[in-house]
């Protein structure tokens, strides 16, 4: 079954999320360029801006997960979209009134990040209720693939928009994308059942305990944290690197990053087809084999082609690995615990992102942009050593149920 043709509600959800990702991609280029071109920000301040956008995962990630398991997810997502739209509208208005400062930009990034925490946690728990379990792999692949395609278009358009309408005005595209996502979510007919999960003092601890005591969830969570530390370490400074070291203009930077991100579309396509060789093997291929190309990124100062090849491989591996991991978690975790599991893993995984951004900004400021890229990109393939040190390397497939992970008969082929 083709979900986009046969499932109206999923089609609306897919359209809204795809357009939203397009807008977010434009702002991921425009926001640092606002800081660089309009506020003459330092490399450290650009890294701090990225850190501010992800810091809310550390501040509110865990209680958000416990809360999401007790409420209907769609109204929460609608409110988050509206808040994000308003926040990104403030930047061009402040710029027009000559009120824009790096402090205001940091505050907006922090608040928009908080809205993203709420939306993403609700999104993770909402999707499995919208689709039947047999449709989860196709739904995840379509969402990740279209998100990557939207990111490609958004990154390319982001650079061009900055060049033609200005960095601050380019953020209006992101604001508009949240309105479209809101309209699509509001048009969905599916209504969630009222949750039966009671409010208990130990709700947060239950999510933590689930991750700590399960070897599969624990491994993927630790890997995600280490991987994101390295990924954000180089991504926080790569725009500055391409502008100041490679000497590229804003439009070219956006186009180059967009072309590199096309690996995500290929990754979503590859992930579904590598599953036939085993989910555990597919995960290792995506998270260890392909990201080794990250070591070419620091050579982008010599030729942008090196950056393109390296970042393409990283993007391909990340999206392919995410499709495998998300499909595994949706089948492995009890539905009533998905919100807490998502919040706990995201707290750890995304919690290292602001640290990585600060690390990248600090290294770029003290050692220089090129040495900083060598250090941070080397950490991308090294992070997969966490997977190699776990039971994943000894199995063909990841388990499909918590009980099966403790039964030799249900374990994957060695």
């Amino acid at each position: 079954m083709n979900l986009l043709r046969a499932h109206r509600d999923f089609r609306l959800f897919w359209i809204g999320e795809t357009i939203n990702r397009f807008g977010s991609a434009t702002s991921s280029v425009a926001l640092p360029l606002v800081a660089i071109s309009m506020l003459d920000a330092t490399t450290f301040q650009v890294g701090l801006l990225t850190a501010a956008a992800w810091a809310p995962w550390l501040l509110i990630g865990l209680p958000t997960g416990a809360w999401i398991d007790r409420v209907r997810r769609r109204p929460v997502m609608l409110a988050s979209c509206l808040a994000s739209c308003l926040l990104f509208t403030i930047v061009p208005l402040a710029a027009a009134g000559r009120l824009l400062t790096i402090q205001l930009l940091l505050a907006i990034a922090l608040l928009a990040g908080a809205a993203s925490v709420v939306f993403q946690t609700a999104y993770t728990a909402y999707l499995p209720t919208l689709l039947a379990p047999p449709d989860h792999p196709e739904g995840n692949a379509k969402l990740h693939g279209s998100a990557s395609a939207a990111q490609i278009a958004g990154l390319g358009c982001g650079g061009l928009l900055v060049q033609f309408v200005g960095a601050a005005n380019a953020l209006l595209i992101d604001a508009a994308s949240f309105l479209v996502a809101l309209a699509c979510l509001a048009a969905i007919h599916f209504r969630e059942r009222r949750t039966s999960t009671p409010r208990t003092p130990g709700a947060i601890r239950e999510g933590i305990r689930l991750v700590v005591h399960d070897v599969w969830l624990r491994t993927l969570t630790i890997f995600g944290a280490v991987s994101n530390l390295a990924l954000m370490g180089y991504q926080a400074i790569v725009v500055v690197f391409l502008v100041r070291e490679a000497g590229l203009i804003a439009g070219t930077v956006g186009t180059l990053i967009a072309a590199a991100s096309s690996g995500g579309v290929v990754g979503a396509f590859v992930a579904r087809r590598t599953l036939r060789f085993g989910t555990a093997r597919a995960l290792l291929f995506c998270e260890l084999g392909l990201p080794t190309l990250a070591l070419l990124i620091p050579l982008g100062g010599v030729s942008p082609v090196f950056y393109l090849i390296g970042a393409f491989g990283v993007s391909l591996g990340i999206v392919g690995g995410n499709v495998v991991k998300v499909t595994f978690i949706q089948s492995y975790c009890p539905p009533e615990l998905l919100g807490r599991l998502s919040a706990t893993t995201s707290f750890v995984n995304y919690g290292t992102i602001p640290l990585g951004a600060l690390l990248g900004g600090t290294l770029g400021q003290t050692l220089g942009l090129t040495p900083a890229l060598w250090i941070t990109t080397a950490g991308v393939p090294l992070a997969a050593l966490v997977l190699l040190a776990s039971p994943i390397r000894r199995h063909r497939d990841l388990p499909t149920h918590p009980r099966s992970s403790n039964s030799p008969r249900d374990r994957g082929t060695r």
Side-chain angles (χ1 to χ4, degrees):
M1 178 181 72
N2 188 313
L3 286 176
L4 294 180
R5 287 200 302 267
H7 201 302
R8 174 190 176 275
D9 286 343
F10 176 76
R11 185 166 63 249
L12 284 168
F13 187 74
W14 173 82
I15 291 171
E17 180 64 8
T18 301
I19 294 175
N20 190 8
R21 291 300 182 97
F22 172 84
S24 297
T26 63
S27 65
S28 69
V29 174
L31 206 59
L33 288 174
V34 168
I36 294 170
S37 63
M38 300 183 67
L39 303 174
D40 198 25
T42 66
T43 301
F44 177 76
Q45 287 174 328
V46 174
L48 190 62
L49 186 64
T50 304
W54 292 95
W57 284 105
L58 288 173
L59 302 175
I60 63 170
L62 290 177
T64 297
W67 173 58
I68 288 297
D69 277 337
R70 301 195 308 271
V71 300
R72 291 179 176 175
R73 287 74 182 243
R74 194 175 70 131
V76 171
M77 295 163 70
L78 290 169
S80 299
C81 286
L82 181 59
S84 297
C85 173
L86 295 175
L87 285 166
F88 283 111
T89 303
I90 291 174
V91 177
L93 293 177
R98 299 182 181 277
L99 299 174
L100 188 61
T101 63
I102 190 67
Q103 290 80 11
L104 178 60
L105 209 58
L106 287 168
I108 289 172
L110 185 68
L111 292 172
S116 178
V117 169
V118 175
F119 181 91
Q120 188 63 37
T121 306
Y123 165 92
T124 303
Y126 179 75
L127 181 60
T129 68
L130 188 64
L131 295 177
D135 293 328
H136 288 171
E138 182 183 352
N140 289 323
K142 279 185 165 56
L143 283 167
H144 281 83
S146 62
S148 296
Q151 185 177 28
I152 295 166
L155 290 170
C157 289
L160 293 174
L161 283 169
V162 168
Q163 195 167 332
F164 291 113
V165 303
N169 290 332
L171 292 174
L172 289 174
I173 299 297
D174 197 10
S177 74
F178 281 107
L179 285 181
V180 175
L182 188 151
C184 289
L185 282 171
I188 291 176
H189 288 162
F190 171 73
R191 295 293 182 267
E192 302 167 85
R193 295 179 180 176
R194 289 190 177 276
T195 177
S196 59
T197 304
R199 180 175 183 174
T200 59
I204 295 175
R205 289 195 298 273
E206 190 173 356
I208 296 173
R209 193 161 49 242
L210 179 65
V211 172
V212 170
H213 294 295
D214 188 290
V215 64
W216 306 95
L217 298 176
R218 184 172 68 246
T219 297
L220 293 179
T221 301
I222 295 172
F223 163 71
V226 178
S227 178
N228 282 339
L229 183 72
L231 284 168
M232 192 50 60
Y234 89 78
Q235 289 178 0
I237 59 175
V238 74
V239 172
V240 187
F241 171 79
L242 292 173
V243 171
R244 293 179 178 169
E245 295 290 321
L248 304 179
I249 61 174
T252 305
V253 169
T255 301
L256 190 63
I257 296 177
S261 299
S262 64
V265 178
V266 181
F269 177 83
V270 167
R272 290 189 65 197
R273 281 145 187 81
T274 56
L275 293 179
R276 70 187 69 175
F277 303 108
T279 52
R281 293 174 182 174
L283 186 64
L284 287 175
F285 172 70
C286 290
E287 301 289 13
L288 175 60
L290 294 169
T292 304
L293 293 171
L295 295 173
L296 294 175
I297 291 174
L299 297 175
V302 178
S303 170
V305 174
F306 288 111
Y307 164 79
L308 180 61
I309 297 172
F312 182 92
V314 172
S315 180
L316 197 161
I318 289 172
V319 174
N322 283 346
V323 171
V324 177
K325 287 185 291 185
V326 170
T327 303
F328 158 69
I329 288 172
Q330 288 172 349
S331 65
Y332 187 77
C333 178
E336 66 274 11
L337 293 175
L338 269 174
R340 275 163 285 181
L341 174 62
S342 172
T344 303
T345 56
S346 296
F347 172 79
V348 180
N349 291 346
Y350 296 159
T352 60
I353 288 180
L355 300 179
L358 290 174
L359 176 65
T362 302
L363 290 174
Q365 188 78 26
T366 55
L367 302 180
L369 290 167
T370 301
L373 279 180
W374 279 114
I375 294 171
T376 52
T377 53
V380 176
L382 288 176
L385 295 178
V386 174
L387 300 179
L388 288 178
S390 75
I392 291 176
R393 67 181 175 85
R394 301 193 301 270
H395 290 74
R396 180 184 185 276
D397 288 292
L398 300 169
T400 57
H401 192 277
R403 285 196 297 270
S404 68
S405 64
N406 296 317
S407 171
R409 291 176 299 172
D410 293 330
R411 290 177 181 174
T413 305
R414 300 246 178 185

